[in-house]
Amino acid sequence: MNRLKIYRAFLFTCLFFSMFLMFFYVRWYLKTQIPDVVRVGIGDEQTLDLGIKEVSVQVVERKRVIPGGIPIGIYLETKGVYVVGTAGVEAEDGLNYEPAYQIVRTGDYILAVNGRKIGDKDELIDCVQANQSDTMILKLLRGSEVIQVRLNAVRTAEADYKLGIWVKDDIQGIGTLTYLTKDMRFGALGHGITDTDTGELLETSKGALYDTDILEIIRGEKGTPGEISGMITYSDRHVRGSILRNTCAGIFGVADQNIQNELDQEYMELGFKQEITRGTAYIRSSVSGELKNYRIQIQEIRLNEDDVNKGMIFQVTDPELLELTGGVIQGMSGSPIIQNGRLIGAVTHVFVNDPTRGYGIFAETMISAGG
């Protein structure tokens, strides 16, 4: 009898556990596999047999853009001076002090000192040296809040004054242009520019695109991401556009005519995310020195993924690209993804343990973020 009770209890436990798993599976499916919003082109007709979920269908004009694929040099200035971290300072008495400890935080932006606006590291240093050890009032941007803090610099043995704050005021790098619109608006990277130490999206004041030349391709290997090594020409004569926005979906701004001249002049329709299918697609890139399409296989489509940069997973299958780069490498972020003659997305990240695989952002997400 006891065995029968144990058997029944076991069956009920299994049934309960199965229903528990089914609940979370259905919840996951609704969240990731069925979109909350579906956009369709004007004049298009689509029947969405979603059954268990109501979906808002928005009729929007299907945009046409010139797909990119060319490398771009990126220069951005932060909004104020960005705080990377704080540290101790050895004073002239030989003791170690931390004047900014628990007052200034990593991720803060220093906007002003004693009412003087701060635009770069040199201006901050000048203010600190001029003020010496007197109490300073720092205006900080912390998250979305502007606050003021007080602190005193420490005099060192070299007669300098230091706050014990590590800062940066600009960012440089190489990425890939994703698209160009008829009115010369561009989108690039497919992901935002973040601080390498904190991972936070950087607040930027202004930036520019510059000419860049690819010098070397470092192939990706398992556990070691490859990269595009290039030379960016930072001079007014080589400016190729203005960066207006740094968002989690990429950088956006206005390009000049030289950018358009480097691209094919063929406009391409934007593909909506519900139109993307598993299977063959193409990455457009000029890593070889020539703008070409390289075959990939889209393996997974995540219509409601919380991380906008990981809307799809793909694998590089093109022999030429595999031979040249090993798959996806740093600097290819923003490379257009094309399927059925439409721009459907852009490369964002690589799988560190498998450089042949990568993530992509939906093109409609980038277009929407670009405004």
Side-chain angles (χ1 to χ4, degrees):
M1 191 66 175
N2 288 337
R3 288 184 178 179
L4 182 59
K5 288 182 178 179
I6 293 173
Y7 181 69
R8 287 177 176 172
F10 176 75
L11 288 179
F12 277 116
T13 301
C14 290
L15 179 61
F16 175 81
F17 188 69
S18 299
M19 293 178 66
F20 182 81
L21 290 178
M22 181 61 70
F23 170 80
F24 280 100
Y25 173 78
V26 171
R27 186 177 178 182
W28 170 84
Y29 185 86
L30 289 174
K31 184 176 178 60
T32 64
Q33 302 302 306
I34 299 179
D36 294 319
V37 176
V38 176
R39 298 179 177 87
V40 297
I42 295 174
D44 284 359
E45 294 184 6
Q46 287 196 8
T47 300
L48 301 177
D49 185 17
L50 303 179
I52 56 177
K53 182 178 179 180
E54 292 185 0
V55 175
S56 172
V57 178
Q58 297 179 357
V59 179
V60 299
E61 181 182 1
R62 190 185 292 276
K63 292 184 178 294
R64 294 173 62 84
V65 298
I66 299 175
I70 59 174
I72 48 173
I74 298 166
Y75 176 81
L76 278 174
E77 294 183 7
T78 60
K79 188 175 183 179
V81 177
Y82 181 74
V83 177
V84 177
T86 61
V89 178
E90 185 176 344
E92 59 183 345
D93 60 8
L95 298 178
N96 196 66
Y97 298 90
E98 293 186 67
Y101 180 67
Q102 292 188 336
I103 299 175
V104 177
R105 300 178 186 173
T106 299
D108 287 346
Y109 293 83
I110 302 174
L111 305 179
V113 176
N114 292 339
R116 176 182 168 183
K117 185 177 179 181
I118 299 298
D120 55 42
K121 292 183 290 187
D122 291 337
E123 290 182 0
L124 176 62
I125 292 171
D126 289 344
C127 282
V128 174
Q129 300 310 310
N131 196 76
Q132 299 187 359
S133 58
D134 292 341
T135 299
M136 281 178 282
I137 299 176
L138 270 61
K139 182 179 180 182
L140 306 176
L141 175 64
R142 180 171 294 168
S144 59
E145 184 181 5
V146 176
I147 62 173
Q148 290 187 339
V149 299
R150 295 173 181 267
L151 72 165
N152 298 83
V154 173
R155 180 183 169 93
T156 69
E158 293 79 21
D160 291 329
Y161 292 86
K162 295 184 178 181
L163 295 175
I165 302 175
W166 293 102
V167 298
K168 66 169 63 173
D169 56 14
D170 57 25
I171 307 98
Q172 306 92 25
I174 293 176
T176 300
L177 189 81
T178 305
Y179 66 82
L180 188 67
T181 66
K182 186 177 182 180
D183 58 356
M184 303 301 288
R185 297 273 174 173
F186 73 83
L189 286 189
H191 60 74
I193 296 178
T194 59
D195 177 62
T196 54
D197 298 296
T198 66
E200 296 293 325
L201 187 72
L202 289 170
E203 294 279 348
T204 56
S205 59
K206 61 180 178 179
L209 300 183
Y210 287 88
D211 279 333
T212 185
D213 295 311
I214 297 176
L215 302 179
E216 182 184 8
I217 299 295
I218 301 173
R219 295 182 77 257
E221 304 289 345
K222 183 177 180 180
T224 307
E227 65 175 329
I228 296 174
S229 176
M231 181 180 68
I232 304 172
T233 308
Y234 291 114
S235 71
D236 292 343
R237 191 163 59 89
H238 292 275
V239 172
R240 292 296 173 255
S242 300
I243 301 172
L244 304 179
R245 301 181 64 194
N246 176 36
T247 77
C248 61
I251 59 172
F252 304 92
V254 180
D256 70 2
Q257 189 63 44
N258 290 285
I259 290 285
Q260 189 177 53
N261 294 341
E262 289 187 54
L263 300 172
D264 292 338
Q265 300 304 304
E266 179 184 356
Y267 281 84
M268 183 175 290
E269 288 186 341
L270 174 70
F272 299 123
K273 60 185 178 183
Q274 78 274 7
E275 298 171 332
I276 303 171
T277 60
R278 291 181 176 87
T280 302
Y282 298 89
I283 289 176
R284 181 166 292 188
S285 175
S286 59
V287 287
S288 67
E290 178 185 357
L291 195 59
K292 299 175 66 174
N293 289 343
Y294 298 97
R295 185 186 297 269
I296 64 172
Q297 290 291 313
I298 295 178
Q299 299 178 325
E300 188 176 340
I301 304 162
R302 301 173 171 182
L303 296 179
N304 276 333
E305 172 65 37
D306 289 335
D307 188 340
V308 298
N309 307 128
K310 298 180 178 180
M312 65 185 97
I313 296 175
F314 64 86
Q315 184 167 30
V316 177
T317 57
D318 193 286
E320 184 179 348
L321 187 59
L322 290 172
E323 177 66 24
L324 179 64
T325 65
V328 180
I329 58 176
Q330 295 176 16
M332 286 179 65
S333 294
S335 298
I337 301 176
I338 298 166
Q339 187 179 63
N340 298 324
R342 288 173 172 165
L343 176 67
I344 62 167
V347 175
T348 55
H349 302 290
V350 61
F351 282 59
V352 176
N353 291 322
D354 184 0
T356 68
R357 302 178 71 208
Y359 290 104
I361 185 174
F362 297 124
E364 67 173 277
T365 301
M366 284 191 70
I367 293 286
S368 179

